[in-house]
Amino acid sequence: MVLILHAGKTNKNAFKALIAAEYSGVDVKPAENFEIGVSNKAPEFLKMNPIGKVPVLETPEGPIFESNAIARYVTRLKADNSLYGCTLIDYAHIEQWIDFASMEIDSNISKWVYPRMGFGVFLPPAEEAAIAALKRALNALNSHLVCNTYLVGHSVTLADIVLTCNLYLGFSQIMTKSFTSEFPHVERYFWTMVNQPNFKKILGEVKQTESVPPVQSAKKPAQPKESAKPKPKEEPKKEAKKETPKPAEEEEEAPKPKPKNPLDLLPPSKMVLDDWKRLYSNTKTNFREVAIKGFWDMYDPEGYSLWFCDYKYNDENTVSFVTLNKVSGFLQRMDLARKYAFGKMLVIGSEPPFKVKGLWLFRGQEIPQFVLDECYDMELYDWKNVDIADEAQKERVSQMVEDHEPFEGESLLDAKCFK
């Protein structure tokens, strides 16, 4: 009996059934010329799985969808298969770890990686929550593996196959060495599994990602081409007088000049922002006496305004490198305001959760509306206008500009500058 597996060649959910088939001696063949986005939209495929998702296993008795169900079916085709353990309690523990691998590992890795790849809306608080939940799960798994080579018993089971395929997505796409090093027994387990002959035959040579992928714009469904619309029949043209010139209003309009930014229309300011940025960058010693004094000498409260910002979800900042990446992403998205702003962002604390606080100098008396409209990070912070008549607030500005440490009694994990 030959079983046909419909899925893309790199689908980690399809790997579960293929690896299980290798261990069980079951003949499972990948569908030929399967193209994701095309084959799974065909009427024949939708008869097997009406929602068009992969993988789908085609059997003589009818189709099966959902990857864990497919892997279970393939495993049970072999009587007394050791992939399901030897006792009833083994079977229960295998099912337990399959559920754990799906609900705690795969779910949170997916919530972390797919929005970054453009398959969904990227929201920093949601990413933080997913990473925190994933770390809790990996900690639990790490503890179990301290004294266990495999999840259940003393040999590979279906639970190991499902978990390893789910971890494969994380290791290959988003879980860098600096992240996984916190879970050494999980690392040992994963590399042991992927180097087993039956795993390696399906997965090939596995390499761990060296970096977290940057955030990509959400992918939009393709729009139908206008050329596909039937063209209206042309009516016979009326004879036109050759000497009649084309009316001026029908002439092709000249491109309109790009509208000026409202901030360019403000009255001139005595503060030249580029002069301050140059002073900040070039001051290497005596920073308080040179750069900070120079800032207050230059500062024009009529032409510019200062703002403190505090991240609203600091309790979710439990992963240092993710917190730093979040701040870096914010500064990248602020690039549209580079001509009109200067900023300092501090990541505070030696232990999680880390606090993120910032100071921003903006042209004008309000936070520019185009920044509020275009940079979604702005709504993730509480903003407060600085009162420079208050000496305590003025001193806080100076300390943030110079990366004073300790800041408000705590050490700095990092300080980033937007200039």
Side-chain angles (χ1 to χ4, degrees):
M1 177 176 66
V2 179
L3 306 173
I4 306 298
L5 187 65
H6 298 262
K9 292 182 179 179
T10 59
N11 188 302
K12 59 94 176 170
N13 286 327
F15 294 160
K16 299 174 189 177
L18 294 172
I19 295 170
E22 291 295 325
Y23 275 97
S24 305
V26 175
D27 193 5
V28 176
K29 300 291 185 186
E32 293 183 2
N33 303 318
F34 188 91
E35 185 180 350
I36 194 70
V38 178
S39 303
N40 59 313
K41 303 299 182 187
E44 315 86 70
F45 186 92
L46 294 176
K47 287 179 182 178
M48 296 190 291
N49 186 353
I51 59 176
K53 288 188 176 182
V54 293
V56 169
L57 184 69
E58 190 177 351
T59 82
E61 301 159 313
I64 305 169
F65 55 83
E66 295 298 336
S67 61
N68 290 346
I70 295 170
R72 288 183 176 104
Y73 173 82
V74 170
T75 301
R76 286 190 173 279
L77 287 175
K78 179 185 177 183
D80 300 322
N81 196 332
S82 63
L83 289 183
Y84 252 129
C86 301
T87 66
L88 186 59
I89 193 65
D90 284 348
Y91 167 77
H93 285 155
I94 289 165
E95 288 295 330
Q96 162 194 289
W97 284 110
I98 288 175
D99 286 350
F100 176 89
S102 301
M103 303 303 295
E104 304 296 338
I105 300 296
D106 189 45
S107 174
N108 289 307
I109 290 175
S110 298
K111 290 174 186 175
W112 185 9
V113 70
Y114 289 132
R116 282 186 166 269
M117 297 172 70
F119 299 104
V121 179
F122 175 77
L123 296 172
E127 179 179 79
E128 282 284 299
I131 293 170
L134 177 61
K135 289 191 72 175
R136 285 195 297 273
L138 291 174
N139 268 319
L141 179 60
N142 196 66
S143 297
H144 177 74
L145 293 171
V146 170
C147 302
N148 295 281
T149 302
Y150 305 99
L151 290 176
V152 181
H154 303 289
S155 63
V156 172
T157 66
L158 185 59
D160 296 301
I161 294 173
V162 173
L163 177 61
T164 300
C165 288
N166 290 344
L167 286 172
Y168 171 81
L169 174 65
F171 272 83
S172 63
Q173 297 294 330
I174 204 163
M175 288 161 49
T176 61
K177 176 65 178 173
S178 63
F179 180 85
T180 59
S181 61
E182 295 181 40
F183 316 102
H185 301 292
V186 175
E187 286 187 318
R188 181 260 304 159
Y189 169 82
F190 178 76
W191 294 116
T192 298
M193 290 296 105
V194 298
N195 283 294
Q196 298 295 311
N198 287 332
F199 280 81
K200 202 164 188 176
K201 183 176 179 180
I202 302 303
L203 300 177
E205 198 70 35
V206 179
K207 292 184 179 180
Q208 187 167 11
T209 184
E210 296 181 354
S211 61
V212 175
V215 178
Q216 299 180 25
S217 300
K219 300 182 187 296
K220 298 179 180 178
Q223 298 296 321
K225 296 180 180 179
E226 288 188 10
S227 57
K229 296 179 182 177
K231 293 182 180 179
K233 293 181 179 179
E234 292 186 7
E235 294 183 5
K237 293 183 180 178
K238 294 180 180 180
E239 190 175 342
K241 295 180 181 179
K242 292 182 181 180
E243 66 274 16
T244 305
K246 189 176 182 180
E249 59 269 21
E250 292 183 13
E251 295 286 348
E252 194 174 309
E253 290 187 14
K256 294 180 180 179
K258 188 177 179 180
K260 284 192 173 184
N261 189 300
L263 299 182
D264 293 328
L265 305 177
L266 293 175
S269 171
K270 68 173 186 176
M271 184 177 193
V272 179
L273 189 58
D274 284 343
D275 288 350
W276 157 240
K277 291 181 178 180
R278 196 174 300 111
L279 176 64
Y280 175 89
S281 299
N282 294 338
T283 303
K284 307 301 180 185
T285 59
N286 300 322
F287 197 87
R288 171 71 69 144
E289 294 77 11
V290 178
I292 299 300
K293 182 179 183 302
F295 173 78
W296 291 118
D297 289 344
M298 294 179 185
Y299 181 61
D300 172 20
E302 295 181 358
Y304 284 83
S305 57
L306 286 163
W307 297 81
F308 293 130
C309 67
D310 290 288
Y311 190 63
K312 294 178 181 178
Y313 309 101
N314 283 321
D315 59 325
E316 297 177 359
N317 293 336
T318 57
V319 184
S320 59
F321 81 90
V322 174
T323 305
L324 298 177
N325 286 346
K326 175 165 53 184
V327 173
S328 296
F330 175 31
L331 298 185
Q332 289 174 6
R333 289 181 284 276
M334 282 293 288
D335 193 64
L336 75 170
R338 194 168 298 278
K339 182 180 174 183
Y340 310 100
F342 171 87
K344 289 301 298 282
M345 295 296 295
L346 307 183
V347 182
I348 304 163
S350 56
E351 298 290 337
F354 304 102
K355 298 174 185 174
V356 177
K357 299 177 182 290
L359 168 75
W360 287 84
L361 172 73
F362 289 117
R363 183 75 166 97
Q365 295 303 301
E366 300 292 338
I367 299 175
Q369 189 59 46
F370 73 91
V371 174
L372 296 172
D373 291 341
E374 298 294 331
C375 185
Y376 69 79
D377 303 74
M378 300 297 286
E379 65 186 28
L380 303 178
Y381 292 82
D382 288 318
W383 295 86
K384 178 185 176 183
N385 193 201
V386 177
D387 179 8
I388 62 171
D390 183 337
E391 286 300 323
Q393 291 190 42
K394 189 174 179 181
E395 174 58 22
R396 190 170 190 258
V397 170
S398 298
Q399 290 188 10
M400 296 184 84
V401 172
E402 68 173 330
D403 306 337
H404 185 275
E405 193 172 12
F407 180 74
E408 297 182 342
E410 296 186 81
S411 60
L412 295 181
L413 178 65
D414 196 14
K416 298 182 182 293
C417 181
F418 176 88
K419 61 183 191 295

